[in-house]
Amino acid sequence: MSGAALGLEIVFVFFLALFLLHRYGDFKKQHRLVIIATLLAWYLCFLIVFILPLDVSTTIYNRCKLAVNSSPAESNSSFVTLAPSKQQCFKPWSYIPNGIMPIFWRVVYWTSQFLTWILLPFMQSYARSGGFSITGKIKTALIENAIYYGTYLLIFGAFLIYVALLQTHGVSFFLCCFLGYGLVEIPRSHWNGAKRGYLLMKTYFKAAKLMTEKADAEEEFGGYYGVDRLQKCHVFPPYCPTEYQERMGRNMDDYEDFDERQNSYPSEKSLVKLHKQVIYSVQRHRRTQVQWQILLEQAFYLEDVAKNETSATRQFVHTFQSQEPENKIIQYFYTPTVEWYWECLLRPWFYRVLAVVLAAFSVIVVWSECTFFSTRPVLSLFAVFIQLAEKTYNYIYIEMACFLTIFFLSICVYSTVFRIRVFNYYYLASHHQTDAYSLLFSGMLFCRLTPPLCLNFLGLTHMDATISHTDAQPTAYTSIMGSMKVLSFIADGFYIYYPMLVVILCIATYFSLGTRCLNLLGFQQFMGDSEMTSDLIDEGKELIRREKRRRQRQEEGENRRREWKERYGNREDSTRNRVVHTEQKESSFSETNTNRPLSKYTRTNGRTERDRIELLQDAEPLDFNADSINDDPLESDSGRYQPGGRYLSMSRSRIFEDV
């Protein structure tokens, strides 16, 4: 089994990163280099989290061998009080041979640092550039990164060089913020997940906010689309449609913002800027459309759960059938009865129990963060667990304890990265709606947060010599990443007491101080005691009710058309057969009378009557109601009359050609 565990985890983590990236990114529409770079960044960071427990168990085994070969008096390790016999040093099942882990950590670390400081920032600027050529995008990316890093070097140059030479790392301020937020918000979100009324009210609140964003995105998309078409018509008149040429000639001043004469050509710089804005508006418009449909399904489902809780039959009944085809295996086992018991009885209790377990983990983490610097006595609970397992050399328990600890810390930090939203510039949206800039930025955050997070984990378990104050053999990760012991004022002060900031952040998150501050600044947040929140909940509830009525009328119309086809389908087929038979007789009659004057024996309107009969027989019954009118002109085909009575001249396939 030597090295087998390492190989299995390398393969497993790759598919895990690929699955998450497929959920947030779009492999078909986004550039391959963006997908590869983001996948590599996520993969390396997740790999550190999963491989580090194996490094800990291998280090404990190596310490045992060193203790056996040395006398008890020479052993200064606080972990081994007595020199064990040779039979006690059992090789762990996941043992990694010497020399592999240092090379592995060196490759992972320097690759991630190259990605986060050089490649990913450059690709971010390249992805956001509005240039029309590869050379123009590269030029823009180089200029933006030169300004960014030039400012960094100008302000923090001396300090950065000093720290880089000493290879020191610490728990960053953002890591403390993300960890403090996740330690409180994750258990609280699971506890609130058991409250159906709370989830439904929050969904109504999200619906009101998303509708406002959706309307803004549609308005911005329509405005930029018109401007982009007019600008291109002005530069390339031969390729511009006639209606755009006339519109451009009449009122071009309404769509251009410069003081030159009316017929002057726009500059390349203005076109690049406009192209950049159009790309952003298209992505935002598509994202809000998809999120609105997902939010509607979520709201309808929560309303169905509230209705089915009082059901006497104990079978879950859906108001609307799922639009996506369900798996037959899931349908066989997940019956309406099973769904009712899970959604109405078991799921709330499961979420409550899970919230209590997560809250206990959070309390242990906060206690250990405040006491991990104490070695005599050992107050950090994670260090106590590891040392107890080390005495019996139970490597499976050691690896499981290490994995659960670092996995929980990673979930708290990474979930905050996935939830955070910086206006519309950084936002990880599921269902393939995340843009390239946000994907690359998330890769940068992961690469910068993971190394200090793992060093913090080693400090909590006293596997770092800086914390344990011993000369014990360090882990391969610490030997490559370094520690704070090279700087005395950092090792003895900042590195030890700075993680206590997590306590303050946890308290601020528990009382929702950040949410209240954002609400005071005008950013509407979900708060139960706010009048603005109540108004948005009422507005969202009305929007959901309106969409529900629209979908119900649409389904009723489809059912009536289906019944019409089933009732009159045979009659229509027989009528078509009679019409075809009549046409054959008339054609044969006309062939036998070709020598006769056509104007005397042939009816002039025979063909017109047959066309009218076929049109009436082929026509489907129309459902004249308000729901048949499609509010989104992008969902209709070009030149085809809609049931609601409107014509659309813009086809779906040509909307994004100029983008």
Side-chain angles (χ1 to χ4, degrees):
M1 294 294 293
S2 179
L6 179 62
L8 291 176
E9 291 199 2
I10 288 175
V11 176
F12 172 76
V13 172
F14 174 78
F15 286 103
L16 176 63
L18 187 66
F19 170 76
L20 291 177
L21 184 59
H22 178 265
R23 176 177 174 80
Y24 288 91
D26 193 344
F27 291 170
K28 296 181 180 179
K29 296 181 180 180
Q30 289 172 343
H31 200 278
R32 293 182 180 178
L33 293 179
V34 174
I35 297 297
I36 293 174
T38 307
L39 176 62
L40 183 60
W42 289 16
Y43 174 59
L44 294 177
C45 296
F46 297 162
L47 203 60
I48 296 176
V49 174
F50 279 82
I51 301 299
L52 191 58
L54 304 183
D55 189 8
V56 172
S57 63
T58 302
T59 302
I60 293 176
Y61 173 70
N62 292 332
R63 288 178 179 178
C64 178
K65 291 194 302 181
L66 291 176
V68 169
N69 296 330
S70 61
S71 61
E74 296 175 354
S75 179
N76 296 325
S77 176
S78 63
F79 292 94
V80 182
T81 58
L82 295 175
S85 62
K86 294 183 179 180
Q87 288 77 13
Q88 289 179 323
C89 293
F90 301 104
K91 181 182 292 187
W93 71 277
S94 58
Y95 175 74
I96 301 174
N98 295 330
I100 294 180
M101 290 307 299
I103 298 176
F104 176 80
W105 290 129
R106 189 176 288 109
V107 172
V108 170
Y109 175 72
W110 289 111
T111 304
S112 62
Q113 292 302 304
F114 172 77
L115 288 174
T116 188
W117 293 108
I118 298 178
L119 183 60
L120 293 181
F122 176 81
M123 294 187 66
Q124 272 189 302
S125 302
Y126 183 90
R128 292 193 62 188
S129 175
F132 297 97
S133 62
I134 298 178
T135 305
K137 292 185 177 182
I138 293 176
K139 181 180 178 182
T140 303
L142 289 175
I143 294 175
E144 290 183 359
N145 283 271
I147 296 174
Y148 176 75
Y149 288 110
T151 306
Y152 250 137
L153 293 176
L154 182 63
I155 300 175
F156 305 105
F159 179 74
L160 288 178
I161 293 174
Y162 180 63
V163 173
L165 291 175
L166 297 176
Q167 295 183 357
T168 58
H169 304 276
V171 181
S172 64
F173 175 75
F174 288 105
L175 178 61
C176 287
C177 292
F178 294 164
L179 183 60
Y181 178 82
L183 288 174
V184 176
E185 190 60 29
I186 290 179
R188 183 164 58 185
S189 62
H190 285 80
W191 181 266
N192 292 331
K195 304 176 182 178
R196 297 299 182 186
Y198 175 86
L199 292 179
L200 191 57
M201 294 299 104
K202 193 171 184 179
T203 303
Y204 291 151
F205 178 83
K206 290 181 179 179
K209 290 188 62 177
L210 185 58
M211 174 55 71
T212 303
E213 183 181 359
K214 179 172 173 287
D216 295 340
E218 290 177 351
E219 182 180 359
E220 182 182 11
F221 172 75
Y224 279 131
Y225 179 74
V227 173
D228 186 54
R229 291 294 296 268
L230 291 177
Q231 293 276 23
K232 291 184 177 180
C233 288
H234 196 71
V235 179
F236 308 107
Y239 304 98
C240 181
T242 306
E243 62 272 15
Y244 280 95
Q245 290 182 5
E246 296 176 355
R247 184 179 178 184
M248 177 189 62
R250 287 196 304 266
N251 47 6
M252 187 64 186
D253 290 337
D254 296 335
Y255 298 91
E256 294 183 352
D257 188 15
F258 50 84
D259 298 331
E260 299 178 3
R261 60 189 181 89
Q262 181 176 354
N263 296 325
S264 62
Y265 295 100
S267 62
E268 181 181 359
K269 185 177 181 180
S270 63
L271 287 176
V272 169
K273 183 179 179 181
L274 179 61
H275 188 211
K276 179 179 179 180
Q277 296 171 342
V278 168
I279 294 175
Y280 167 74
S281 64
V282 169
Q283 173 66 27
R284 186 187 178 194
H285 177 266
R286 182 169 58 245
R287 173 173 55 81
T288 52
Q289 295 291 335
V290 174
Q291 287 180 334
W292 175 250
Q293 297 300 326
I294 296 172
L295 190 63
L296 287 179
E297 296 295 334
Q298 182 181 358
F300 295 156
Y301 189 77
L302 291 175
E303 290 179 348
D304 291 341
V305 172
K307 292 180 180 179
N308 284 274
E309 285 181 349
T310 58
S311 176
T313 59
R314 295 191 175 184
Q315 288 188 351
F316 200 91
V317 179
H318 294 269
T319 304
F320 304 106
Q321 296 297 329
S322 178
Q323 298 179 357
E324 299 180 357
E326 297 182 358
N327 192 352
K328 294 182 179 180
I329 300 177
I330 297 178
Q331 290 181 352
Y332 180 78
F333 291 100
Y334 198 62
T335 59
T337 303
V338 175
E339 186 176 5
W340 187 89
Y341 276 100
W342 167 250
E343 292 293 341
C344 300
L345 292 180
L346 299 179
R347 187 172 182 177
W349 287 104
F350 173 77
Y351 270 69
R352 291 189 182 98
V353 173
L354 183 59
V356 172
V357 174
L358 294 175
F361 265 97
S362 298
V363 172
I364 293 175
V365 170
V366 173
W367 171 262
S368 300
E369 290 285 357
C370 297
T371 60
F372 73 94
F373 58 88
S374 177
T375 57
R376 293 182 182 180
V378 178
L379 299 179
S380 175
L381 296 181
F382 294 117
V384 172
F385 297 154
I386 298 300
Q387 292 182 17
L388 290 176
E390 186 180 1
K391 292 179 180 180
T392 59
Y393 297 97
N394 190 347
Y395 296 108
I396 296 179
Y397 175 80
I398 291 173
E399 293 176 3
M400 290 299 299
C402 292
F403 175 75
L404 291 177
T405 303
I406 193 173
F407 183 74
F408 181 72
L409 294 175
S410 303
I411 290 296
C412 293
V413 175
Y414 292 165
S415 63
T416 308
V417 175
F418 281 101
R419 290 185 182 185
I420 193 174
R421 178 175 181 176
V422 184
F423 298 103
N424 289 316
Y425 294 99
Y426 171 74
Y427 180 40
L428 290 177
S430 58
H431 297 84
H432 321 291
Q433 299 304 313
T434 307
D435 57 351
Y437 181 86
S438 298
L439 287 176
L440 295 171
F441 191 76
S442 66
M444 292 173 53
L445 286 178
F446 286 153
C447 291
R448 297 181 186 183
L449 293 175
T450 304
L453 175 66
C454 293
L455 285 177
N456 185 32
F457 159 75
L458 294 176
L460 294 177
T461 56
H462 286 191
M463 294 298 295
D464 190 354
T466 306
I467 304 301
S468 60
H469 301 289
T470 61
D471 296 331
Q473 181 182 1
T475 60
Y477 183 86
T478 307
S479 62
I480 298 301
M481 303 296 177
S483 62
M484 288 296 178
K485 63 183 179 180
V486 293
L487 295 176
S488 59
F489 72 94
I490 293 181
D492 299 333
F494 181 81
Y495 182 62
I496 293 177
Y497 298 103
Y498 186 68
M500 295 183 184
L501 182 62
V502 173
V503 180
I504 300 176
L505 295 171
C506 288
I507 296 174
T509 305
Y510 179 79
F511 291 102
S512 303
L513 296 182
T515 302
R516 297 179 186 275
C517 292
L518 290 176
N519 198 29
L520 291 176
L521 294 176
F523 300 97
Q524 290 82 10
Q525 303 294 318
F526 184 76
M527 299 178 60
D529 55 351
S530 175
E531 183 179 356
M532 180 64 68
T533 301
S534 302
D535 295 339
L536 290 177
I537 289 175
D538 295 338
E539 181 182 351
K541 189 175 182 179
E542 182 62 28
L543 291 172
I544 297 298
R545 186 183 295 111
R546 189 183 308 167
E547 290 291 335
K548 192 173 184 178
R549 289 198 301 265
R550 185 186 67 83
R551 187 170 294 187
Q552 287 175 348
R553 289 196 296 265
Q554 184 178 359
E555 287 190 354
E556 291 175 358
E558 292 177 356
N559 293 333
R560 287 197 296 269
R561 285 191 292 269
R562 191 181 301 110
E563 293 177 358
W564 179 277
K565 288 182 180 180
E566 293 176 356
R567 181 179 302 178
Y568 300 103
N570 297 330
R571 186 180 302 177
E572 292 177 0
D573 294 338
S574 61
T575 306
R576 290 193 185 97
N577 293 332
R578 288 198 301 270
V579 171
V580 173
H581 182 66
T582 305
E583 290 181 356
Q584 293 177 355
K585 292 178 63 177
E586 290 181 357
S587 61
S588 61
F589 178 78
S590 60
E591 290 178 358
T592 56
N593 297 279
T594 54
N595 297 328
R596 298 183 182 182
L598 297 177
S599 60
K600 183 176 180 180
Y601 297 100
T602 305
R603 291 192 303 175
T604 57
N605 59 347
R607 185 64 180 175
T608 305
E609 292 293 333
R610 289 195 301 271
D611 292 341
R612 186 183 305 170
I613 294 174
E614 291 180 2
L615 180 61
L616 292 176
Q617 297 297 334
D618 294 337
E620 297 181 359
L622 299 179
D623 181 23
F624 291 97
N625 52 51
D627 294 329
S628 60
I629 300 177
N630 191 2
D631 295 332
D632 191 359
L634 302 180
E635 297 180 358
S636 303
D637 295 334
S638 174
R640 185 173 297 179
Y641 180 71
Q642 301 298 315
R646 62 170 65 176
Y647 283 90
L648 299 176
S649 60
M650 183 167 55
S651 66
R652 184 185 305 174
S653 61
R654 299 184 61 186
I655 291 178
F656 304 103
E657 284 181 357
D658 295 324
V659 177

